[in-house]
Structures are given as structure tokens and as C-alpha cells.
Amino acid sequence: MSLFRTKSVEQSIQDAEGGEHRLTRSLSALDLTVFGIGVIVGTGIFVLTGVAAKNTAGPAVAISFAVAGVVCALAALCYAEFAATVPVAGSAYTFAYATIGEFPAWIIGWDLMLEMALGAAVVASGWSGYFASLLKNFGVYLPESLAGDQAVFNVPAAVIVLVLTGVLVAGIKLSARFNAVMVAIKMIVVLLVIVAGLFFIRSANYTPFVPPSHVIEGRGGLQAPLIQTLFGVPPVAYGVFGIFAGAALVFFAYIGFDVVATAAEETRNPQRDLPIGIIASLVVCTVLYVVVSLVVVGMQHYSSLSVSAPLADAFRSVGESWIATLISVGAIAGLTTVVMVLMLGQSRVLFAMCRDNLLPRSLAAVHPTYRTPYRITVVIGVATALLAAFIPLSAIAELVNIGTLFAFVVVAIAVPILRRTRPDLHRSFRTPFVPVVPALSVLASVYLMLNLPVETWIRFLVWMIVGAGVYFMYGHRRSRVAAEPEPLLEV
């Protein structure tokens, strides 16, 4: 069936190695690892620690972070094999095209558009709030109509998106250097939180480490988790089930490590460097999350934690307001890199889709000097700036979670498929224990998806239906795979 026609690995690699739509290979394993840390360490470490500890897991929020890290690690092992075997821009879209077929690949690309573009806009809105808060420390007050959650036109959010668009257009190496500086700032702040916080830990705050569980009342209808609607399982706070509910919540903190795979085509030695970048960034961030969460719940009892700025407020509670100000600086640096790397990933996925004629091929033009897909980057930057400026996104932020988890499921399924259909391909990194690890990745991702609200699932399905309509009206008839013969190229 034409809906499931595949694009061979050889054809994908030929696109990456030659022609007018070729990108420059200039990234190292360290660059990729820093990109991964840049996109992962952001809202999660500065906000979700308090939300999950206070509302769902208590001091055991550290275990919630570890559980979410394990779920991501299962997916990361699958991503690493694909990225090393098919080192081409597009990430899960390219992987699905090589294994499952064109229409599933389109759906994944459409899904990644939801994850990355919406994620960047959500984080840009959060950046605006931190920026306005930091200015207040210096006596500068921005009108609520121009900054923050209630803004009519969120000026700081739009401005930071457009500035980062310029950085991305100016070259992947410049983007990597800018990202490295911002990551260095936020890592210094995170390490300061850990070291300084150790002096204010009170062991009594860890008791009980796993508080007694109780059913959460008042969440029904479309706000109820899908698992509750399907199986009558009510949401639980604290206890063992509270730890897993906390894992579903803090999963947002890990979103983005898969973006590393989208830079495959700009990596000098992708077979070696991509698995290192994906796995190393995830390991570093998981350790940081677990340690920071243990420090914060040790400094302040979980029932008293702030849900908007837990790290800063924990230091204010012990009389160290100056550290709270530094945390705001670290949050701004952290959110800046998250926005930039998500936009980077989005541009590379759409670049691959445009190169395959599933979207207008003219948008895949590469800048003659900077060697970046500048047209699609500008389109994404303008669209993200408008989203961040005009639309209150807090109500639909969970769409980012479901989009990411859906991509995890598809990539995990694709690994054993490519093993069976193309056993001849050289795999410099192999996912261990196939098909067990991919199967566990699917089950873990689906479980976290079931913990998301019914309304999130409805919005996700509507987005997928719209995407299917776009494919049948445009991409299906223009596909390069249908029009061009496959090249003969040894891999």
C-alpha cells in the first residue's frame, strides 16, 4: 500500500551526504551532550520538584525522578541505535519512514511539530515570567498586559524566540557555543543549590519518606486521567502509586533528550557521537534531578514547598534570599537553552519532511553561507513567537507530554522491525536485549500516557486528524519516495 511505502536507509543517507540540501557536519559528542543538557535542564528542575513533592510523592519525589529517568533511558537506548544507524536529520520521523512507512512517518513528524513548537512556546512564556520577576529585583516593573501568564501580548516571550531564531539561522556551531555558555550558567546555579542546600538539610523533613497514600478528590470528567476513566482507578497522592503518579508529572522535566537525534546530520562522527550525546545527557540530568530534589525536600518540609518556585522559596525560608536571586538567573539561562534547542529540533524535523516533498520543498533551502535550513527556521521562529505572545498555553501544556511519549512508542516499535527487515545494516550501537527493552519502553510510555487527562487525549486526537488531512491533501501526492527510484548505495 502506498500509505506504507518506506524510504530506504540508503536514500536517506544519500540525501544527507550530497545535493543542495546538505547540512554541515561540525558537532562533536560534547556538543551533543551539552545540547541534551541544555534542553532537559529547565522548567522541571526549577518548578516541578515542588509540585510533585507537595501534591503527589512527598520526599519520595526523588524516586519519581528516577522512575521517569528509567522510562526515558529505555527510549534513549532505542533512539541511540537508530541515530547511529540512520544518521540523518528528522529523528523519529526518519526512523519511522525507514521502517513502518510514509503515513506513520508523517504522523510522527506532525506529532513532533506539536511536541517541539508547542513546547518551545510554553517554555518561552515561562521565561517571560522569570524575566519579569528578575527585573523587579532591580526596580523595573513590566505591565501585566505585556509579560506573564495574563499578558495580552507577551513581549519578552516573543522577543526571546525571535532572538534565538537569529542565533539558529547564523549557524549550528554558533548555536552550540551560545548553548554551552547558557548551560554553564545554569549548571553553576544548580551545583550552588546542591552545595549550599546541604548546609540547611534537616533529617526530620525526610520523615515519612513515603507518606501514607490517599485518593485525590475532585478530578472527574475531562480533567480525570484516562486510566481512571477506562478502568475506574482513581488518582492517588503519596504512597507507592503516588510515586508513579509523580513520575508521570515530572516526565515533562526530561522532555527534549530525543532532540539530540535531530542533529544527526550535523554531527562529525554520528555513529559514535550520537549514542554518547543521547545517553550521557540523560544520565547527567537524571543524577542532577534526583540530588536536587533530595536537597529541596530536606531543606523544607514537602507540605510547605512552593509549587511555583520551590528552589528559590526554599532558600528564602532559611534566610538566604541572595541565592534565590541567583536561582532566577539560572532559571532564565536554563529556559533560554530549552527554547533554542526545541526550535533547533523542530527545524530539522520539518527540514527532513520538506526535503521529502511532504511539505513544500522550497522551505528546505540551505543558507549558502551559514549552511542552516534558514527558511524553515524563520517560519518556525515566527510561528513560535506568535504562539508565545498571544495564546495562554498553560491549559494545553500536557499536549507536549503526550506528543513526546507517542514518539517514544513508535521508535521503540521500529527498532525490532528494522532489525528484521535490514539485518545487513551496520549498527555501531545496538539496543541491548531486543525485543525486551523496546517492549518495556512501549509499556512504560503507554502507562505514563494513560495518566494524562482525557481532555489532553481528545486534543491530541484532533491534532492527529488535522495532520492526516494535510497529508492526504498535500504530501501523499507529492512524495519523493513515490516519484524517484531508490539509489544504490552501500551502508
Side-chain angles (χ1 to χ4, degrees), residues 447-470:
Y447 174 75
L448 292 186
M449 291 173 74
L450 290 174
N451 279 276
L452 294 171
V454 173
E455 61 184 355
T456 299
W457 279 85
I458 293 173
R459 288 167 177 156
F460 178 68
L461 291 175
V462 169
W463 176 256
M464 290 293 104
I465 292 171
V466 171
V470 173

Side-chain angles (χ1 to χ4, degrees), residues 41-330:
V41 178
T43 305
I45 201 165
F46 294 108
V47 177
L48 292 181
T49 304
V51 177
K54 185 171 185 175
N55 297 334
T56 59
V61 66
I63 302 177
S64 297
F65 273 114
V67 169
V70 169
V71 173
C72 290
L74 293 171
L77 291 171
C78 299
Y79 269 89
E81 174 169 330
F82 260 118
T85 307
V86 193
V88 178
S91 185
Y93 159 78
T94 301
F95 308 155
Y97 213 159
T99 53
I100 305 174
E102 183 174 282
F103 180 63
W106 165 269
I107 289 296
I108 279 294
W110 189 255
D111 167 67
L112 291 174
M113 192 187 307
L114 177 75
E115 172 196 344
M116 296 178 188
L118 187 59
V122 169
V123 176
S125 296
W127 185 96
S128 173
Y130 271 104
F131 181 71
S133 176
L134 184 63
L135 289 181
K136 289 178 183 178
N137 295 333
F138 301 98
V140 178
Y141 294 86
L142 296 179
E144 290 187 0
S145 61
L146 298 180
D149 294 335
Q150 307 303 318
V152 178
F153 183 89
N154 198 327
V155 174
V159 169
I160 189 61
V161 168
L162 294 177
V163 169
L164 294 175
T165 300
V167 173
L168 291 172
V169 168
I172 188 65
K173 202 60 184 176
L174 175 63
S175 302
R177 288 170 183 158
F178 178 81
N179 180 69
V181 172
M182 292 293 103
V183 168
I185 292 172
K186 68 179 175 183
M187 290 296 287
I188 290 170
V189 172
V190 170
L191 293 175
L192 174 65
V193 167
I194 294 172
V195 174
L198 291 174
F199 294 96
F200 300 100
I201 287 177
R202 290 185 294 174
S203 58
N205 289 333
Y206 291 124
T207 304
F209 191 73
V210 182
S213 64
H214 67 265
V215 175
I216 302 173
E217 303 293 343
R219 289 187 68 189
L222 296 180
Q223 282 76 42
L226 183 62
I227 193 171
Q228 175 183 351
T229 303
L230 292 177
F231 305 109
V233 179
V236 174
Y238 312 123
V240 174
F241 287 105
I243 292 173
F244 287 97
L249 177 63
V250 302
F251 175 80
F252 185 86
Y254 287 95
I255 284 177
F257 78 84
D258 53 317
V259 176
V260 174
T262 66
E265 205 166 310
E266 293 156 285
T267 303
R268 287 197 294 264
N269 186 359
Q271 286 78 12
R272 180 181 70 90
D273 295 345
L274 281 164
I276 293 174
I278 292 171
I279 296 171
S281 59
L282 184 61
V283 170
V284 169
C285 293
T286 300
V287 172
L288 285 177
Y289 283 163
V290 170
V291 174
V292 167
S293 60
L294 286 172
V295 168
V296 171
V297 297
M299 291 177 63
Q300 192 173 17
H301 194 268
Y302 72 90
S303 61
S304 302
L305 283 173
S306 163
V307 295
S308 58
L311 273 66
D313 287 354
F315 278 98
R316 288 192 183 100
S317 71
V318 294
E320 301 293 337
S321 297
W322 66 276
I323 295 182
T325 301
L326 286 179
I327 289 173
S328 296
V329 174

Side-chain angles (χ1 to χ4, degrees), residues 305-390:
L305 283 173
S306 163
V307 295
S308 58
L311 273 66
D313 287 354
F315 278 98
R316 288 192 183 100
S317 71
V318 294
E320 301 293 337
S321 297
W322 66 276
I323 295 182
T325 301
L326 286 179
I327 289 173
S328 296
V329 174
I332 290 173
L335 298 181
T336 300
T337 60
V338 174
V339 175
M340 188 186 77
V341 181
L342 284 174
M343 289 172 61
L344 170 72
Q346 176 68 92
S347 67
R348 273 45 177 183
V349 172
L350 292 189
F351 169 74
M353 296 173 75
C354 292
R355 193 165 57 185
D356 291 332
N357 285 1
L358 299 184
L359 289 172
R361 188 173 175 83
S362 60
L363 292 177
V366 175
H367 196 282
T369 302
Y370 303 128
R371 306 306 303 171
T372 55
Y374 67 105
R375 290 181 183 172
I376 196 66
T377 300
V378 170
V379 170
I380 289 168
V382 171
T384 304
L386 291 174
L387 279 172
F390 286 110

Side-chain angles (χ1 to χ4, degrees), residues 383-423:
T384 304
L386 291 174
L387 279 172
F390 286 110
I391 301 176
L393 295 163
S394 56
I396 55 175
E398 285 178 315
L399 278 170
V400 181
N401 280 13
I402 197 169
T404 303
L405 287 164
F406 180 66
F408 286 3
V409 170
V410 172
V411 171
I413 291 173
V415 166
I417 291 177
L418 193 63
R419 287 274 188 101
R420 175 166 294 187
T421 58
R422 293 299 305 272

